Amino acid sequence: MATESPLLLAAVTLLSALQMGYLARQVGKSRIAHKIMPPIVTGPPEFERTFRAHQNCVEFYPVFMVLLWTSGTFFNEVTAAGAGLVYMVARQMYFNGYVKSAKKRIPGFYLNLAVLFFLSLLSFIGILRGILLKYFDVHV
Amino acid sequence: MATESPLLLAAVTLLSALQMGYLARQVGKSRIAHKIMPPIVTGPPEFERTFRAHQNCVEFYPVFMVLLWTSGTFFNEVTAAGAGLVYMVARQMYFNGYVKSAKKRIPGFYLNLAVLFFLSLLSFIGILRGILLKYFDVHV
Amino acid sequence: MATESPLLLAAVTLLSALQMGYLARQVGKSRIAHKIMPPIVTGPPEFERTFRAHQNCVEFYPVFMVLLWTSGTFFNEVTAAGAGLVYMVARQMYFNGYVKSAKKRIPGFYLNLAVLFFLSLLSFIGILRGILLKYFDVHV
């Protein structure tokens, strides 16, 4: 393995995969606590909020992953990895809040969106700069 | 960043991540229009179609991503990136159609499948050729 | 394409994408068999189990992909690819079992978790070793 490998992106990726496992586990625990056996996905409000909180994390996970790696590869690895850690914290805020009430999911959600916009912007700058250099020989 | 980096794959990836964000936003707008507050996921037919349209896009997104990158890396980047753009157009056709009626989701859906089959075929050829060369010293 | 490319990871990735397509097709067939037209997602128990089995596969797919690639890149490609094949077999056990009864999903599910833990461990070792070498000049 070469030392140019994006180890920080890989570390954030591994941590985020473990977080996804942890969140899936919380849904399993909520199933047991409320006696909601698979394949049922409806039940008391708290179970439904926990279930939907996890679903939302699942929906956004691939988008987070691709933006982490494009921004980290084409803009800057340390910045992307740092933003990735903020995203993970925001996801936990979102999940923990949503379990308590639908309203408490909001702050974490907006912080998540802010990080995704930031990573998109870094990716856009990095990819555009790369395309200008590679295909148009323009240095920015 | 080296100029051999797959900038076109990265560009399609970034665009597709933005599209996923746009589609999630449409579900949020449909929630507001039909006054369906989270965590509820059932309601008027139009809301349920919008919700399911997004879910289907989410389900296929990681599959699209891995096929885009394997075909682009192991077969040909420009071909894969071009097919990726067609996939994005097909996804939009699917989503917009599904919001109107369940039947109108069909054309976009089949175009999506066609692109995924195409990317799978390119990946298969590229990976097989690579394995024959690397592990069996056979040039195809 | 260089011969150092991770062809085995790519091959497992392609196979797993085809498996995801196959599983989605099984849900479509179950829809037809039980006359459950989209966007409806509720119906007879067998349909609901098939639907949820697929959803669970979808939820775990991105986590599987990132752990396959981090362990294969930063620890060892052959080990990761082999574990990836076991994961695919376990997913099929899980899906086929779940279609029959909720209880029969269990063995495949635990085998899936075991593989994901194994890939996480390999990733952790590989990434930690890489970070110690690159940022602290410590050879482990």
Side-chain angles (χ1 to χ4, degrees):
Chain A
M1 193 202 61
T3 50
E4 316 86 67
S5 298
L7 283 155
L8 302 181
L9 300 183
V12 173
T13 297
L14 172 59
L15 288 173
S16 72
L18 296 176
Q19 185 182 34
M20 291 304 287
Y22 171 78
L23 296 179
R25 180 96 187 86
Q26 299 316 105
V27 178
K29 280 186 181 169
S30 184
R31 280 190 176 282
I32 291 164
H34 295 96
K35 298 185 175 55
I36 313 287
M37 288 301 103
I40 298 164
V41 294
T42 50
E46 191 188 301
F47 170 74
E48 294 199 358
R49 288 197 308 272
T50 306
F51 181 81
R52 282 302 310 157
H54 176 243
Q55 286 295 310
N56 188 280
C57 296
V58 165
E59 288 170 18
F60 277 87
Y61 188 60
V63 173
F64 168 49
M65 278 293 107
V66 301
L67 292 177
L68 175 72
W69 283 85
T70 50
S71 60
T73 306
F74 297 97
F75 187 84
N76 178 272
E77 188 187 356
V78 175
T79 312
L85 291 178
V86 176
Y87 182 87
M88 284 179 59
V89 171
R91 267 293 147 197
Q92 204 60 49
M93 283 168 57
Y94 169 86
F95 187 89
N96 294 351
Y98 206 165
V99 169
K100 283 181 202 124
S101 81
K103 206 181 168 188
K104 285 184 178 157
R105 82 187 193 286
I106 307 283
F109 189 70
Y110 281 119
L111 183 52
N112 270 312
L113 287 188
V115 176
L116 293 179
F117 273 114
F118 179 65
L119 291 175
S120 300
L121 185 66
L122 299 190
S123 302
F124 176 74
I125 295 169
I127 293 168
L128 184 65
R129 206 165 50 188
I131 286 178
L132 287 174
L133 179 61
K134 181 174 177 180
Y135 295 101
F136 301 95
D137 204 24
V138 175
H139 294 249
V140 181
Chain B
M1 193 201 63
T3 50
E4 315 87 70
S5 298
L7 283 155
L8 302 181
L9 300 182
V12 173
T13 296
L14 173 60
L15 288 173
S16 73
L18 295 177
Q19 184 183 34
M20 290 305 287
Y22 171 78
L23 297 180
R25 179 95 187 86
Q26 298 316 105
V27 178
K29 280 187 182 170
S30 184
R31 281 191 176 280
I32 291 164
H34 296 96
K35 298 184 176 56
I36 313 287
M37 288 302 104
I40 298 165
V41 295
T42 50
E46 191 187 302
F47 170 74
E48 294 198 359
R49 288 198 309 272
T50 305
F51 181 80
R52 283 301 310 157
H54 175 243
Q55 287 295 310
N56 188 281
C57 296
V58 165
E59 288 170 17
F60 278 88
Y61 188 60
V63 173
F64 167 50
M65 277 294 107
V66 300
L67 292 177
L68 175 73
W69 282 85
T70 50
S71 59
T73 306
F74 297 96
F75 187 85
N76 178 272
E77 188 187 354
V78 175
T79 312
L85 291 177
V86 176
Y87 182 87
M88 283 180 59
V89 171
R91 266 295 146 195
Q92 204 59 50
M93 283 169 58
Y94 169 86
F95 187 88
N96 294 350
Y98 206 166
V99 169
K100 283 181 200 125
S101 81
K103 207 180 166 188
K104 285 184 179 159
R105 83 188 191 286
I106 307 285
F109 189 69
Y110 281 119
L111 184 52
N112 269 312
L113 287 188
V115 175
L116 292 179
F117 273 115
F118 179 66
L119 292 174
S120 299
L121 185 65
L122 300 191
S123 301
F124 177 74
I125 295 170
I127 293 168
L128 184 66
R129 205 166 50 188
I131 286 177
L132 287 174
L133 179 61
K134 181 174 177 182
Y135 294 101
F136 302 94
D137 203 23
V138 174
H139 294 249
V140 182
Chain C
M1 192 201 61
T3 50
E4 317 87 68
S5 299
L7 283 155
L8 302 181
L9 300 182
V12 173
T13 297
L14 173 60
L15 288 173
S16 73
L18 296 176
Q19 184 182 35
M20 291 303 288
Y22 171 78
L23 297 180
R25 178 99 188 85
Q26 298 316 103
V27 179
K29 280 186 182 170
S30 183
R31 282 191 174 279
I32 292 164
H34 295 97
K35 298 186 174 57
I36 313 288
M37 288 301 103
I40 298 163
V41 295
T42 51
E46 192 187 300
F47 169 73
E48 294 198 358
R49 288 199 308 273
T50 306
F51 181 80
R52 281 301 311 158
H54 175 243
Q55 286 296 310
N56 189 281
C57 296
V58 165
E59 287 169 19
F60 277 87
Y61 188 60
V63 173
F64 168 49
M65 278 293 107
V66 301
L67 291 177
L68 174 73
W69 282 85
T70 49
S71 59
T73 306
F74 297 97
F75 187 86
N76 178 272
E77 188 187 355
V78 175
T79 313
L85 291 177
V86 177
Y87 181 87
M88 283 179 59
V89 171
R91 268 293 146 196
Q92 203 60 49
M93 284 168 58
Y94 169 85
F95 187 89
N96 295 349
Y98 206 166
V99 169
K100 283 179 201 125
S101 81
K103 207 181 167 187
K104 286 183 178 158
R105 82 187 192 288
I106 307 283
F109 189 69
Y110 281 119
L111 184 52
N112 269 314
L113 287 189
V115 175
L116 292 179
F117 273 114
F118 179 65
L119 292 174
S120 300
L121 185 66
L122 299 191
S123 302
F124 177 74
I125 296 169
I127 293 168
L128 185 65
R129 206 166 50 189
I131 286 176
L132 287 174
L133 179 60
K134 181 173 177 181
Y135 294 100
F136 302 93
D137 202 24
V138 175
H139 295 249
V140 181

